[in-house]
Amino acid sequence: MINITNLQKFYRTEEVETIALNNLSFGIKEGEFVAIMGPSGCGKSTLLNILGLLDDPDDGSYLFNGIEVAKFNERKRSDLRKHNIGFVFQSFNLIDELTVFENVELPLIYTKVGAAERKRRVEEVLDKMQIMHRRNHFPQQLSGGQQQRVAVARAVVNNPKLILADEPTGNLDSSNGNDVMQLLTDLNEQGTTIIMVTHSEHDARYTHRIIRMLDGQAVTENILV
Amino acid sequence: MGHNLKAIYRNMLKNKLYTFFNVAGMAVAFACSILLFLSVYQDFSFDKFHVNGDKIYKVYSFSNAANGPELSEVMAYPAGPALKADNIGITKFTRVRYGGGKIRYKAKELELTTVLVDPDFLRMFSFRILQGNRVNPLADLGKVVLSANDAASLFGSEDPVGKTVETEISGTWKSLEVSAVIENPPVNSSIQFGALARTETHGHYPAIKDEWNNQHHPVYVQLAENTTQESTENRLRSFVKTHMPPNIGLMKARGYRADAKGDFSGLKLLPLADVHFNPEIGTGDRVNRSFLYILVLTGVVVLVIACFNFINLSIGLSFTRTREMGVRKCLGAGKANIWTLVWGEGFVTTLVAMVIGVAAAVLLIPSFNQLFVAKLETSLLYDPVIGLLLPGILLFVSLFAGSYPALAMTKLKVVEVLKGKIALKTNGLFRNTLVAFQFIIACVLISTTMVIYRQFRHLRSAPLGYTTTSMISIPVYDQSKGKELIRTMRLQLASQPAIVSVSGSSFNLGIGKDRNTGKWSSNFGYKGKVVRTNWMEADYDFLKTLTIKQVEGRDFSSAYASDSVNAVIVTESMAKQLTDGHAVGMEFFADSAQAKLHIVGVIPDFHLYSMFEDKEPISIMLKHEESMAYILVKVNTTNPAATMELVKKTYAKLEPGKEFKGSFVTENIERWYAKEKRLSRLFSIAAGVAIVLSCMGLFGISLIVVRQRLKEIGVRKVLGASVSRIAAMISKDFLKPVLLAIVISVPLSWLILNKWLQDFSYRITIGWWMFVYMGMAALLIALATVSFQAIKAALANPVKSLKTE
Ligand SMILES: Nc1ncnc2c1ncn2[C@@H]1O[C@H](COP(=O)(O)OP(=O)(O)O)[C@@H](O)[C@H]1O
Ligand SMILES: [Mg+2]
């Protein structure tokens, strides 16, 4: 599903040039659950952003479902992204001014799904995530675990083929963290490909494979299953 | 859409204070500019409702005097009919003359203006006939046409058509039959009337209907479809030669000159569309077009200031929204979605502000009318043009104010935004530029207000050469008995200690409540030279009443029997034209038809007219006919109101039933400068609004910046910075653009105002201290605005601000 070769990403500030990704290459097959690990600043988030088509690489190739997307312009990336990729962030990134229902509904609005269909799908996914009773609450009224569950619901409501999660349990206690990991595992078992950045070896054990990074390069891969 | 509205609504609610600032600021700006635009629109709509408007002209005469053309709108009785009869492209004409001020039906008497016109009047002008004879209601001399309002108050529910009313025309009551009821002339009609009757009903008409030399009323004409103004004006040249040939020899002697076509004088046409704007030969309350442009500009400037506030507040607040926008983008929102959302918020703000602004404008219309002597009506808001203008402004302002923040938001990089709360990169320069711009406008307006007000005061209090205080002038109703009235008044007031003297004059000092002004000047030959002088006719005790001290000779006095025949008092510059020596006792002919004038006194030159005109030679004749237009009363009192009351009572006995239009000359003089007074009012309000709006913006920004810098302030405090130091540090940042604005606005104001002052020969000089005041005012107001937040932030507990993240 994903094939990157010799991916490069630089950050230039006035004085220094940082190499965030350095000739990175790997592939991920459909249905895989992959963890990306490594010390802070090694380029994990940068990688995830590029995989999620939020950012473009400076060099190298990125094949998404066999299509070269590395040179896509913003519009094409946005099109591909909104139909295929869901995001889960460490800091949840729910919109404070919108209710739980409305937050989850948002991706459907942007993919121009009809109102009745939106309602059905949002309710279905809220039900699955067991936060239906909170549908009219605002994010600040929820606990961290609940917020992350809403975030996951929002990421999956569009039935994306790929979910990208950047430290999804980083802001949660272990019990809530485990809940979220269980959710992701369930989703993966239903066929969604998941790539997750994590610092937690415990969380990584839920996945099939760990890619370990150092200074913008993949150093080792552990196959878990 | 529903989704966006919900998000906009919630975000506005969340940032209540900023929403309030934005809406309030915009609403104030809208209210101001709507009032200004309405009044400008009303002025530009004058006389536009006449279907034949582009074919209607007012005839005026010109004569090319030495110091520029003299224009006059008054025509003689035979002129109107001849213009139509002579086949010079004129198909319709109407004379328009004031007839009288009263009408009676049975026991009911009403004050209204009866205007005397010709039958074509109702065919030329589009005043709708509502009732009665719709074809030719003024077909004969016995008919009168009433305006709807006056008909209603005179007749109540009775049908007025066919009834006979008593109409006062040229001082006598005439029985006329109401032939039609016509719609009231709208406010934006230069020609106003309550009733219409025929020109021929005027008492003087039979005697002077063929007199070309007796001129008293304007004439409007309508040109044939295939005729142009130019061709008719060309044909008017021969018309003039036929009917009113000028005395070219005399004109040459008096310094008149021929124009490019070789005419010393003649007739021309003023398009109806210009009648409201021509100060000399227009009709009604005329306005200057450039004044209207200033009003539009002021309205736009106020809107721009409000827009800048919106832009600055939106950008300042952006850091609270960038993450949200990032998330939305991440979830698939395109640029258009983001733009609509952010711009939509601006639009909703503008819309709410517009609604409040329009409501406020409606409520303010009465005060506006009073303040600016305007006649705005609420119904103007239903006018289709205004109906289009308001949404136009709404769209323009929301685009102007909302586009920049919206565009900036769409350009945000998702990846960076998602990392944390970042604000739009403006590095303060953009923000400060807007703030500086606002304060430049505010400062220029402050100095403009100061200069215009001082110039107005300067004009008002200018020494005219006679004492203007404690003098009352009364327009006489029946001028033919003017001197008799003066004599009686002098007699009746003689025993009153508060009355110094009573005199009279042929025209008013300043502009009285009758709003009439007069000027009479002539050139004549004297010992081979051309002598030029302005004339005035006066009564005994003239110098005493005006408190003018003669240089030589004496005042007019009834003690000298010869005074009543040929006495004249001249000013020094007039005397100098006649002789280098003593002028008293000299005699001269000003006009071969008149008696030889005998100089009894010489007085210093003085300003007989407003300060817009230079001092010119003046000759004051003791009037020998019985008529006189104004009574002048010099009083000596500490209680002007009571003295005015006394004079009013005395007048009431002289001309019973007539309205007392007396006023203090100081008031009259102020009316000369009504335009400057109006301007100074306008600018003081504009400056006030500009300052308030700019400060609202500044306050909002200080709120945001302090919020953003809370952590930094906390750290500094922990490290030992004092409260005053921190407050000063924050305030300083805000005062920089204000200081810059002051520096820029000084030369800018000076240039503009100096140019404005050039139009006055009697003017103030702009002192540097005015700019010091202006700068101090701006700086203090700005400082007060930002120091509130700065001090509050500096006093805040650092532990709290460091914890929140
Ligand atoms: N916008 C940026 N500008 C400059 N350098 C950046 C930027 N974003 C990330 N970097 C740098 O790139 C490297 C990789 O960052 P990141 O992908 O966020 O690491 P990780 O998520 O693994 O902690 C780091 O050295 C970081 O400092
Ligand atoms: Mg990271």
Side-chain angles (χ1 to χ4, degrees):
Chain A
M1 176 178 212
I2 284 173
N3 244 310
I4 56 170
T5 16
N6 296 334
L7 216 54
Q8 300 234 37
K9 182 75 182 173
F10 311 102
Y11 288 110
R12 286 173 200 91
T13 53
E14 285 101 56
E15 290 124 44
V16 285
E17 187 183 275
T18 317
I19 304 178
L21 297 178
N22 189 5
N23 274 324
L24 187 63
S25 308
F26 62 76
I28 290 169
K29 284 193 276 298
E30 190 141 7
E32 266 197 294
F33 190 175
V34 177
I36 295 175
M37 300 189 74
S40 223
C42 72
K44 306 181 296 291
S45 296
T46 304
L47 173 64
L48 221 55
N49 288 337
I50 291 173
L51 292 180
L53 300 168
L54 293 172
D55 208 352
D56 47 355
D58 289 316
D59 201 4
S61 146
Y62 174 16
L63 294 178
F64 185 85
N65 279 335
I67 307 163
E68 179 55 70
V69 297
K71 295 281 180 298
F72 265 24
N73 64 20
E74 178 157 348
R75 190 186 186 85
K76 279 178 155 176
R77 276 193 272 141
S78 166
D79 261 1
L80 198 63
R81 182 174 69 229
K82 65 183 173 196
H83 290 109
N84 295 291
I85 305 171
F87 292 89
V88 178
F89 305 95
Q90 175 181 4
S91 51
F92 322 136
N93 276 336
L94 297 175
I95 295 176
D96 294 340
E97 289 79 36
L98 301 181
T99 62
V100 166
F101 184 94
E102 287 159 356
N103 263 290
V104 177
E105 189 188 20
L106 216 47
L108 298 175
I109 289 175
Y110 291 133
T111 45
K112 303 204 163 62
V113 177
E117 172 72 3
R118 286 208 302 266
K119 187 166 183 303
R120 194 187 63 73
R121 274 162 70 176
V122 173
E123 283 176 352
E124 185 187 295
V125 73
L126 287 178
D127 207 33
K128 204 158 89 183
M129 301 292 154
Q130 294 165 17
I131 35 172
M132 193 56 184
H133 57 297
R134 299 284 189 172
R135 51 175 291 171
N136 289 325
H137 286 76
F138 286 93
Q140 307 94 296
Q141 301 168 317
L142 304 180
S143 72
Q146 287 169 326
Q147 287 192 40
Q148 196 59 302
R149 255 188 286 165
V150 175
V152 175
R154 190 177 63 181
V156 302
V157 70
N158 238 350
N159 293 322
K161 296 191 180 67
L162 173 66
I163 286 183
L164 300 173
D166 196 346
E167 302 185 39
T169 61
N171 281 5
L172 301 176
D173 60 40
S174 60
S175 138
N176 275 319
N178 286 341
D179 281 357
V180 167
M181 285 317 298
Q182 197 51 57
L183 273 177
L184 291 177
T185 310
D186 293 347
L187 283 169
N188 176 247
E189 277 164 7
Q190 285 153 34
T192 314
T193 312
I194 299 178
I195 304 172
M196 173 181 75
V197 168
T198 185
H199 283 296
S200 152
E201 294 290 346
H202 169 264
D203 288 354
R205 254 178 261 134
Y206 285 86
T207 68
H208 305 162
R209 177 156 69 107
I210 302 172
I211 299 174
R212 291 189 192 272
M213 289 178 64
L214 194 64
D215 293 340
Q217 284 173 302
V219 283
T220 52
E221 288 196 23
N222 309 36
I223 312 290
L224 301 175
V225 284
Chain B
M1 197 60 216
H3 163 82
N4 278 349
L5 279 180
K6 220 184 300 173
I8 288 168
Y9 171 72
R10 295 215 186 110
N11 190 58
M12 286 173 77
L13 213 61
K14 186 176 134 199
N15 297 307
K16 275 190 209 78
L17 193 60
Y18 305 99
T19 307
F20 170 77
F21 271 106
N22 271 333
V23 170
M26 287 244 182
V28 169
F30 277 135
C32 288
S33 53
I34 286 171
L35 283 174
L36 292 175
F37 294 158
L38 281 184
S39 91
V40 170
Y41 175 71
Q42 188 184 51
D43 278 316
F44 277 121
S45 76
F46 255 74
D47 304 322
K48 291 284 189 317
F49 60 94
H50 298 296
V51 179
N52 303 319
D54 58 334
K55 283 282 158 196
I56 299 177
Y57 296 82
K58 185 183 201 174
V59 183
Y60 67 92
S61 66
F62 65 93
S63 38
N64 299 312
N67 52 354
E70 290 166 348
L71 308 181
S72 166
E73 57 162 353
V74 291
M75 299 286 138
Y77 274 137
L83 283 164
K84 182 173 170 179
D86 274 20
N87 196 20
I88 52 171
I90 289 169
T91 56
K92 296 191 179 77
F93 82 94
T94 182
R95 296 165 282 190
V96 177
R97 184 172 192 187
Y98 175 79
K102 292 189 191 82
I103 199 160
R104 272 201 307 245
Y105 178 64
K106 290 182 180 164
K108 192 152 188 184
E109 185 170 311
L110 205 67
E111 293 215 345
L112 53 55
T113 305
T114 303
V115 171
L116 306 181
V117 300
D118 291 293
D120 279 345
F121 182 89
L122 289 167
R123 299 188 195 113
M124 294 165 65
F125 297 111
S126 307
F127 298 110
R128 251 179 336 125
I129 297 173
L130 304 173
Q131 237 182 304
N133 182 342
R134 282 161 206 269
V135 186
N136 190 6
L138 290 172
D140 66 78
L141 306 191
K143 299 287 195 289
V144 64
V145 172
L146 290 182
S147 71
N149 273 357
D150 291 309
S153 31
L154 196 60
F155 285 92
S157 53
E158 220 179 309
D159 181 5
V161 177
K163 305 279 157 47
T164 301
V165 292
E166 301 290 311
T167 313
E168 187 209 38
I169 293 173
S170 58
T172 55
W173 290 93
K174 298 210 158 140
S175 296
L176 299 175
E177 185 196 322
V178 180
S179 59
V181 175
I182 191 175
E183 72 174 340
N184 294 313
V187 183
N188 59 357
S189 171
S190 292
I191 300 174
Q192 292 289 334
F193 56 84
L196 298 173
R198 285 285 293 268
T199 307
E200 295 87 340
T201 57
H202 196 280
H204 296 161
Y205 187 81
I208 56 171
K209 68 182 167 54
D210 298 318
E211 272 280 357
W212 282 88
N213 287 327
N214 208 328
Q215 303 161 339
H216 24 62
H217 60 270
V219 172
Y220 291 86
V221 296
Q222 184 171 330
L223 302 192
E225 276 313 314
N226 53 357
T227 317
T228 62
Q229 176 181 356
E230 201 189 355
S231 83
T232 303
E233 279 182 346
N234 279 334
R235 287 191 268 182
L236 278 172
R237 296 181 66 208
S238 50
F239 179 90
V240 170
K241 285 195 187 94
T242 316
H243 297 287
M244 38 200 289
N247 184 343
I248 293 183
L250 186 70
M251 293 191 95
K252 270 188 187 157
R254 292 186 176 180
Y256 284 77
R257 287 181 299 228
D259 62 16
K261 285 181 172 165
D263 295 333
F264 283 80
S265 66
L267 294 179
K268 277 188 180 155
L269 300 175
L270 178 72
L272 183 62
D274 291 341
V275 158
H276 183 57
F277 303 102
N278 192 301
E280 276 176 293
I281 46 172
T283 305
D285 280 327
R286 290 143 246 182
V287 299
N288 207 317
R289 279 203 176 91
S290 57
F291 179 67
L292 299 181
Y293 297 137
I294 291 177
L295 291 188
V296 173
L297 188 69
T298 310
V300 171
V301 158
V302 167
L303 282 180
V304 166
I305 292 183
C307 286
F308 282 4
N309 274 357
F310 183 89
I311 295 173
N312 260 348
L313 288 181
S314 302
I315 290 178
L317 262 189
S318 66
F319 74 100
T320 64
R321 299 202 77 187
T322 48
R323 193 181 61 98
E324 175 198 338
M325 294 306 156
V327 173
R328 283 178 184 275
K329 274 193 169 179
C330 199
L331 298 177
K335 279 187 174 166
N337 295 99
I338 301 290
W339 200 90
T340 316
L341 192 66
V342 182
W343 177 77
E345 191 175 322
F347 182 79
V348 171
T349 308
T350 320
L351 181 69
V352 174
M354 175 68 99
V355 170
I356 298 175
V358 169
V362 168
L363 292 177
L364 285 172
I365 280 178
S367 333
F368 180 88
N369 284 345
Q370 206 178 19
L371 212 55
F372 294 107
V373 210
K375 288 200 185 81
L376 283 190
E377 290 176 331
T378 316
S379 61
L380 212 56
L381 283 169
Y382 310 127
D383 186 286
V385 176
I386 297 296
L388 283 175
L389 181 73
L390 293 185
I393 294 177
L394 177 66
L395 201 67
F396 175 79
V397 168
S398 63
L399 279 175
F400 181 56
S403 285
Y404 184 85
L407 213 64
M409 281 288 187
T410 62
K411 286 205 181 124
L412 281 175
K413 281 244 180 306
V414 187
V415 184
E416 289 179 28
V417 174
L418 286 179
K419 283 202 182 117
K421 291 185 172 183
I422 66 153
L424 293 178
K425 286 213 181 63
T426 55
N427 64 38
L429 184 66
F430 182 72
R431 185 186 72 208
N432 286 344
T433 309
L434 296 193
V435 170
F437 189 84
Q438 290 179 318
F439 272 86
I440 290 174
I441 293 174
C443 288
V444 170
L445 287 174
I446 294 177
S447 35
T448 304
T449 305
M450 265 197 296
V451 168
I452 294 182
Y453 181 69
R454 294 188 64 85
Q455 172 66 14
F456 164 66
R457 236 180 34 184
H458 188 63
L459 289 169
R460 191 185 58 187
S461 60
L464 296 175
Y466 61 94
T467 310
T468 56
T469 50
S470 311
M471 199 187 340
I472 297 170
S473 87
I474 310 153
V476 172
Y477 187 83
D478 184 355
Q479 299 185 0
S480 62
K481 298 202 186 84
K483 268 169 73 170
E484 188 191 319
L485 297 178
I486 292 170
R487 277 195 298 272
T488 320
M489 186 165 263
R490 197 178 278 140
L491 217 63
Q492 296 201 353
L493 291 176
S495 59
Q496 295 290 341
I499 307 294
V500 178
S501 61
V502 178
S503 185
S505 63
S506 55
F507 48 83
N508 212 345
L509 302 169
I511 300 174
K513 286 182 179 156
D514 61 339
R515 308 203 65 83
N516 285 337
T517 55
K519 183 174 180 176
W520 170 26
S521 58
S522 75
N523 301 17
F524 59 89
Y526 179 78
K527 289 188 179 163
K529 283 185 303 181
V530 175
V531 174
R532 181 179 163 71
T533 181
N534 295 310
W535 293 94
M536 180 165 188
E537 291 169 306
D539 198 36
Y540 297 118
D541 290 339
F542 185 74
L543 298 188
K544 187 175 178 189
T545 307
L546 268 72
T547 336
I548 298 178
K549 246 190 111 55
Q550 63 271 24
V551 185
E552 204 186 340
R554 57 174 175 83
D555 200 351
F556 298 125
S557 166
S558 49
Y560 296 81
S562 61
D563 273 13
S564 64
V565 184
N566 62 1
V568 63
I569 294 173
V570 298
T571 57
E572 282 180 300
S573 59
M574 173 60 188
K576 202 159 271 159
Q577 290 187 89
L578 302 173
T579 173
D580 290 331
H582 295 291
V584 171
M586 286 181 62
E587 297 191 320
F588 64 94
F589 279 108
D591 190 326
S592 50
Q594 274 185 356
K596 202 169 205 183
L597 294 170
H598 179 87
I599 298 178
V600 298
V602 176
I603 53 173
D605 284 312
F606 71 100
H607 278 279
L608 186 50
Y609 315 110
S610 77
M611 294 304 290
F612 297 128
E613 300 183 37
D614 294 328
K615 280 182 193 166
E616 286 172 354
I618 303 166
S619 305
I620 303 155
M621 263 189 287
L622 184 71
K623 181 125 189 171
H624 26 269
E625 293 98 16
E626 265 305 296
S627 70
M628 191 66 85
Y630 294 90
I631 306 173
L632 302 174
V633 183
K634 176 73 179 181
V635 300
N636 174 15
T637 177
T638 48
N639 188 350
T643 316
M644 183 60 106
E645 201 49 41
L646 172 70
V647 171
K648 185 175 173 179
K649 265 195 200 125
T650 315
Y651 171 83
K653 280 183 277 177
L654 302 182
E655 291 198 300
K658 300 289 179 276
E659 190 192 342
F660 176 71
K661 289 184 175 165
S663 56
F664 281 103
V665 171
T666 42
E667 274 172 57
N668 296 359
I669 282 163
E670 222 176 278
R671 280 193 200 99
W672 269 336
Y673 313 115
K675 191 177 134 201
E676 283 66 34
K677 192 174 177 180
R678 208 153 75 127
L679 263 185
S680 113
R681 270 194 188 151
L682 174 78
F683 277 103
S684 61
I685 291 173
V689 169
I691 277 282
V692 167
L693 288 184
S694 305
C695 284
M696 273 168 83
L698 202 58
F699 186 79
I701 296 166
S702 70
L703 220 65
I704 294 167
V705 168
V706 163
R707 207 166 106 181
Q708 274 173 316
R709 289 178 71 175
L710 225 49
K711 198 166 177 180
E712 176 204 334
I713 294 166
V715 173
R716 281 179 192 270
K717 262 188 102 167
V718 170
L719 296 179
S722 69
V723 170
S724 58
R725 198 188 173 109
I726 290 175
M729 172 191 82
I730 295 171
S731 305
K732 204 180 70 194
D733 277 359
F734 288 107
L735 295 185
K736 270 187 217 154
V738 175
L739 271 174
L740 180 74
I742 294 170
V743 168
I744 293 176
S745 65
V746 168
L748 192 65
S749 319
W750 190 86
L751 277 175
I752 296 171
L753 292 168
N754 209 42
K755 178 134 185 11
W756 180 74
L757 282 173
Q758 294 311 310
D759 286 347
F760 301 87
S761 52
Y762 183 75
R763 58 177 177 249
I764 54 165
T765 46
I766 304 176
W768 55 269
W769 54 268
M770 289 188 200
F771 295 118
V772 173
Y773 281 171
M774 176 268 276
M776 297 275 278
L779 206 59
L780 280 177
I781 293 170
L783 189 65
T785 307
V786 296
S787 61
F788 179 73
Q789 279 304 312
I791 292 170
K792 207 174 123 191
L795 286 173
N797 183 352
V799 180
K800 262 192 193 158
S801 52
L802 287 178
K803 243 186 351 203
T804 52
E805 178 41 15

